[in-house]
Amino acid sequence: MKKQLKGLLYFYVSDFRYSMAIFWTILLSILVLTMAVAYFLLSIENGMMAFSLTAPIYIYCAILGFLSVKEAIPFSIKMGATRRNLFISFGIFFLSLSLLFSTIASILQEAVSYINSIVGMDNFHFLHLAYFLEDTWYSRIVIDTSIMFFLFSVMFMIGLLFYKYGLAGGGSVLGILMVMLLLGIAKGWVFDFFKEIYATIDITYFLQLIGIAFVIYLLTYIFIRRITIWKVK
């Protein structure tokens, strides 16, 4: 079991290594370009620049969680992986990536902020949810890890729905969720929910989000335990 888990994890890393390298190269290039623009804006009054380092990472995690189903599951099953090991290995993979990406993002933000303080570039700012709390490296890592793992779990679940039940099944579920969201917006429930969170937000919300993400991921085993290499169209 341990050897198969190690093999699966190695396969996931090898399979997605290229896309991760491209993503981080593009993200860092945009960051450097944004800093360069901010430097030239120092001579302009009120010339401010803001950059979100984590928002693109959130989007990438969501996409990766969805694509993992189609890219990795059929090949893993062909190679003899058990459904239980698939479930465990994906959980470890998603959680490890969430922690790794959040740590890298926090270190980058600290490093860039330190460099900016040395060169006197005080017109460049990062956008992060931690600003609503105590902005520390710990709070940023907790917030980012919880959001990333939640997105991994949700999009992995959606990917499994499309894989097992095709466009009709997956589309029907998304349609129901969209109707519920629109109903919530029309009734004001969504706005009230976010207003309450904004008024009372603390690190506990994100710790609870990790718990919700684990529950969602546990539910994916219902689909994984009977999954095959044949994708429903």
Side-chain angles (χ1 to χ4, degrees):
M1 178 178 175
K2 290 183 178 179
K3 289 184 178 180
Q4 190 174 93
L5 284 175
K6 290 179 181 178
L8 286 170
L9 290 172
Y10 177 79
F11 166 63
Y12 301 154
V13 173
S14 301
D15 193 37
F16 295 108
R17 180 176 55 190
Y18 183 68
S19 69
M20 286 189 282
I22 293 177
F23 168 76
W24 280 102
T25 300
I26 294 174
L27 182 60
L28 293 177
S29 299
I30 296 174
L31 173 61
V32 172
L33 179 61
T34 306
M35 291 175 62
V37 173
Y39 182 79
F40 286 110
L41 289 177
L42 283 173
S43 58
I44 301 176
E45 186 177 357
N46 297 324
M48 306 294 293
M49 287 293 293
F51 182 78
S52 176
L53 186 62
T54 51
I57 303 177
Y58 296 160
I59 296 173
Y60 177 76
C61 289
I63 295 173
L64 185 62
F66 183 81
L67 293 180
S68 294
V69 179
K70 182 180 70 173
E71 298 291 333
I73 285 183
F75 181 81
S76 300
I77 295 176
K78 288 179 182 178
M79 294 297 102
T82 65
R83 276 53 171 182
R84 181 183 178 185
N85 284 346
L86 278 174
F87 173 74
I88 296 173
S89 60
F90 269 118
I92 295 173
F93 181 63
F94 291 150
L95 187 58
S96 299
L97 275 188
S98 301
L99 184 58
L100 176 63
F101 286 174
S102 60
T103 303
I104 292 174
S106 186
I107 292 174
L108 276 174
Q109 182 168 333
E110 290 289 339
V112 170
S113 299
Y114 178 73
I115 293 172
N116 290 346
S117 65
I118 293 178
V119 300
M121 196 164 65
D122 57 355
N123 65 334
F124 182 86
H125 302 282
F126 283 102
L127 301 176
H128 199 283
L129 289 173
Y131 290 141
F132 295 105
L133 309 172
E134 184 180 358
D135 185 22
T136 63
W137 67 270
Y138 167 76
S139 63
R140 288 196 298 269
I141 289 177
V142 171
I143 291 170
D144 292 337
T145 300
S146 64
I147 294 176
M148 291 176 198
F149 187 59
F150 177 79
L151 291 172
F152 270 129
S153 300
V154 170
M155 295 306 293
F156 186 65
M157 171 74 83
I158 293 174
L160 287 170
L161 284 171
F162 276 93
Y163 188 91
K164 281 186 67 69
Y165 302 110
L167 184 60
S172 299
V173 173
L174 289 183
I176 293 172
L177 293 176
M178 184 60 66
V179 170
M180 293 174 60
L181 176 61
L182 293 175
L183 181 62
I185 293 175
K187 296 290 186 179
W189 303 333
V190 175
F191 296 110
D192 292 340
F193 174 73
F194 283 106
K195 282 169 60 178
E196 182 179 353
I197 289 181
Y198 178 77
T200 61
I201 190 169
D202 57 24
I203 200 68
T204 305
Y205 278 102
F206 298 98
L207 294 175
Q208 292 172 345
L209 185 62
I210 294 179
I212 294 172
F214 272 110
V215 172
I216 294 173
Y217 187 76
L218 287 174
L219 292 176
T220 63
Y221 187 68
I222 298 173
F223 303 99
I224 293 177
R225 64 192 297 266
R226 296 186 180 277
I227 203 165
T228 66
I229 62 173
W230 307 112
K231 178 183 177 182
V232 177
K233 297 183 180 179

